[in-house]
Every structure is written in structure tokens, then in C-alpha cells.
Amino acid sequence: MNAVFQRPDDGDGRSQVSLAELIGLRARVGRARLAPMLSRAARHGQQSSRLYGRGMDYAESRIYQPGDDVRRLDWRLTARSGKLHTKLFQEDREGCLLILLDTHASMRFGTRVRFKSVQAARAAAAAAWYAVRAGERVGVMAFGQADQWVRPQAGPRGALAACGALFDSDRRATDERTEPLSAALERAGRVLHGASRVLLISDGFSGDDASRKRLLDLGRHAQVSVLVVADALELALAAPGRYPLEHAGERRDVVLQSERQRVDFQRALGAGPAHLSELAQSLGLHWASIDTTADAFDAVSRLLGVRRAAR
């Protein structure tokens, strides 16, 4: 019987990320596979082919795996490392998911069930478990208040490393660091390591004018999906009333009575998610929006094209 042991300093799953919860999400993945990726050429309108086709452009080398074509052994790297390595070409590179996680201060907010930061980590963990269950590698790059990088890995080890990075990013976040979305996307382009999919998880408040170009650039090398995480107050008008809000240890009451007050409040509070949603839609990217009460698995499975395997 499998068990998930909770660390003494584990989060509560509401205002802080719980590592035990992220690892426990593995049980919900079940037997699933991801929709097949098209090659980079297909994404640019050329003749399409499966990712596992026989391309001619060298991409990278990896440790030899049973069943690999011995004619594609990388003898130079094998000689240097002492371990068999296989050459991978652009069109037959194994699938790889890179998760970009926003950890800015705006993510540490929530009025229903959990903080946006916790919901984002849950969605990222679900994506990681889906990816490795489908035989893909998974890596994580956190940006914003936490600067975390986990190189893509395959199998349960890869998903566990991703969960650990998500937990550490939540604990290491500091108000002293910020990073515009465009800078994060540019950095992601330098560390793709052959990623065929990129999943951006953010509330959009880090977006800047240069983000559009960076998303387009990233989309030339990988299939980019966007998950917009928002709070209920950012998505819809609040009911009339008094709302206690706390920030940096200070507690204040926001009084919303007139419709004008409520509209202005919602527009200001929801500017980030609205901007990112509009940007993703205008660029024709796969995108979805969830609030802090939603089941993250539904949105993630749609974005990754999860298909339940036949029993």
C-alpha cells in the first residue's frame, strides 16, 4: 500500500503549498496519454509528421534505452562518458514538458479555499504527473519572487523533482525579487532543452508589452499553453459589503456599496488575468482560466490534450 508522508514543515494547502498534496495528486492521473505532438515544421505550415518520425536535424543525445536503433549510437559521447548514448534528431526527440510557474506577490492572494499560488502549484503538479505518465520528461522554471530551475527528467523521478521545486519555490519566495513575464519567457527559450510543450501558469500581473513577442518566439520552438489562475473577486463583481483584506501584515477593510465601486474594484483586481487571457486568445494559444476553487485537473487535462487510455 502506498502512503504519502507529510513533512513536519509542510504547508497547509491553503496559504502555503503542501508537498504531500502535490505528491498525492499522482493517484488521480490513472492511465492517461497525451495527444501526439506535431513536429516543429508542421507548426510552421510545412508537411506534418509525428514527433517520432525520422528527421535528419540533430537535436541532442541521451542515455541509450532498450529498443534504440544501434545505428544511431553517439560513439563520441559514449567514449567520453563511458555510457552508451543515442543520437536524437529534431523529429524523433522524446516529448518534454516545461512548466513555467509565476511566483510573484500577486499570486499569494485568495478569498476562496486557497491562494492562487497554491492553486498554481497544484495545476503544475497535475501537469507533471500527466507528462511522466505519458512517457514525457518534465521540467520546471519558476520566475518572479522565486528563481527555481529543475532540468527536465523522465519518470516518477521527474515528477517528484517537479513537486519538490514547486514546494521550494513557494517557501523561498521573497518580496525583494520580481521578473517581467517577457524576461521569464526569454530565459525559458534559453533553457528549453528540447521541450516540445510549454505550460505557462500565471495570474498575468507580471505581463508587459514585450510579452507578446516573447510568446511568439517561444511558440516557434514548442507548443505553448497558458493557464490563467485567478481569484473569484478578480473574475466577477463582488456583492455589496465590507471586505477585510490583509497584505504584508496590515489588515484593511474595503467597503463596496455602489455598483461603480464594485466595477472599479473588479477591474483593478482582475486586470492581470484579463490581460493574459486576452493575450493568449489573440495569439491563438491553447489557454484556460481557473479560479482558486476549481479542480485543476480538468483545465490541465484539456490544455495538454490528455486522453484516457483504454483499460
Side-chain angles (χ1 to χ4, degrees):
M1 178 177 178
N2 294 328
V4 176
F5 295 95
Q6 188 168 352
R7 293 173 45 160
D9 61 343
D10 202 13
D12 57 16
R14 297 186 296 274
S15 63
Q16 292 182 318
V17 171
S18 167
L19 180 60
E21 181 183 20
L22 301 186
I23 296 175
L25 292 176
R26 176 183 186 180
R28 293 194 55 192
V29 172
R31 302 179 63 189
R33 59 191 176 93
L34 304 186
M37 282 292 304
L38 295 180
S39 70
R40 183 175 62 182
R43 288 197 296 272
H44 288 277
Q46 301 174 21
Q47 185 176 0
S48 64
S49 63
R50 297 287 187 183
L51 189 61
Y52 291 95
R54 293 188 52 91
M56 298 303 294
D57 296 329
Y58 172 79
E60 60 185 342
S61 294
R62 62 159 165 76
I63 294 291
Y64 174 86
Q65 297 179 4
D68 284 352
D69 191 339
V70 295
R71 293 172 298 179
R72 294 193 174 189
L73 289 178
D74 188 334
W75 292 111
R76 291 185 179 180
L77 185 54
T78 296
R80 290 199 305 268
S81 65
K83 297 181 180 180
L84 284 175
H85 280 73
T86 302
K87 288 183 177 180
L88 299 180
F89 295 83
Q90 182 62 45
E91 304 305 325
D92 61 7
R93 182 165 42 193
E94 63 184 339
C96 175
L97 170 67
L98 176 60
I99 300 171
L100 306 183
L101 180 72
D102 192 337
T103 64
H104 280 94
S106 61
M107 297 289 290
R108 306 178 78 84
F109 173 78
T111 63
R112 305 287 192 279
V113 182
R114 57 181 67 89
F115 278 8
K116 290 185 289 182
S117 55
V118 175
Q119 181 72 312
R122 295 174 73 250
W129 287 117
Y130 271 134
V132 300
R133 181 64 183 84
E136 297 194 358
R137 294 178 294 152
V138 62
V140 174
M141 191 194 91
F143 65 96
Q145 290 190 339
D147 182 4
Q148 192 88 352
W149 164 241
V150 174
R151 187 181 297 272
Q153 301 178 62
R157 183 186 298 271
L160 289 172
C163 290
L166 298 171
F167 175 79
D168 289 341
S169 295
D170 186 66
R171 288 304 177 93
R172 296 178 182 179
T174 169
D175 290 337
E176 298 177 356
R177 177 182 169 81
T178 61
E179 184 176 14
L181 178 57
S182 61
L185 293 171
E186 183 179 14
R187 185 156 59 94
R190 297 195 297 267
V191 297
L192 273 178
H193 288 283
S196 50
R197 309 174 195 263
V198 173
L199 175 60
L200 169 63
I201 305 177
S202 170
D203 64 359
F205 282 102
S206 61
D208 54 352
D209 292 340
S211 299
R212 173 179 292 271
K213 181 180 184 304
R214 298 304 180 195
L215 278 171
L216 286 172
D217 291 342
L218 201 59
R220 295 189 178 97
H221 304 283
Q223 178 179 297
V224 179
S225 300
V226 178
L227 180 61
V228 183
V229 181
D231 182 75
L233 288 182
E234 297 172 338
L235 297 175
L237 290 182
R242 183 184 298 271
Y243 293 84
L245 299 178
E246 184 174 337
H247 175 67
E250 294 186 9
R251 184 183 177 92
R252 296 183 178 181
D253 287 346
V254 176
V255 179
L256 303 175
Q257 294 296 345
S258 69
E259 183 176 356
R260 177 62 181 273
Q261 288 176 325
R262 293 157 54 211
V263 169
D264 290 345
F265 181 77
Q266 191 273 325
R267 285 178 178 173
L269 208 59
H275 174 73
L276 185 56
S277 298
E278 292 169 1
L279 178 60
Q281 185 171 1
S282 68
L283 294 177
L285 302 177
H286 295 288
W287 73 279
S289 177
I290 59 173
D291 64 25
T292 58
T293 69
D295 184 349
F297 270 83
D298 294 337
V300 169
S301 62
R302 291 196 304 271
L303 287 176
L304 297 183
V306 173
R307 301 176 179 178
R308 294 294 177 183
R311 295 186 179 276

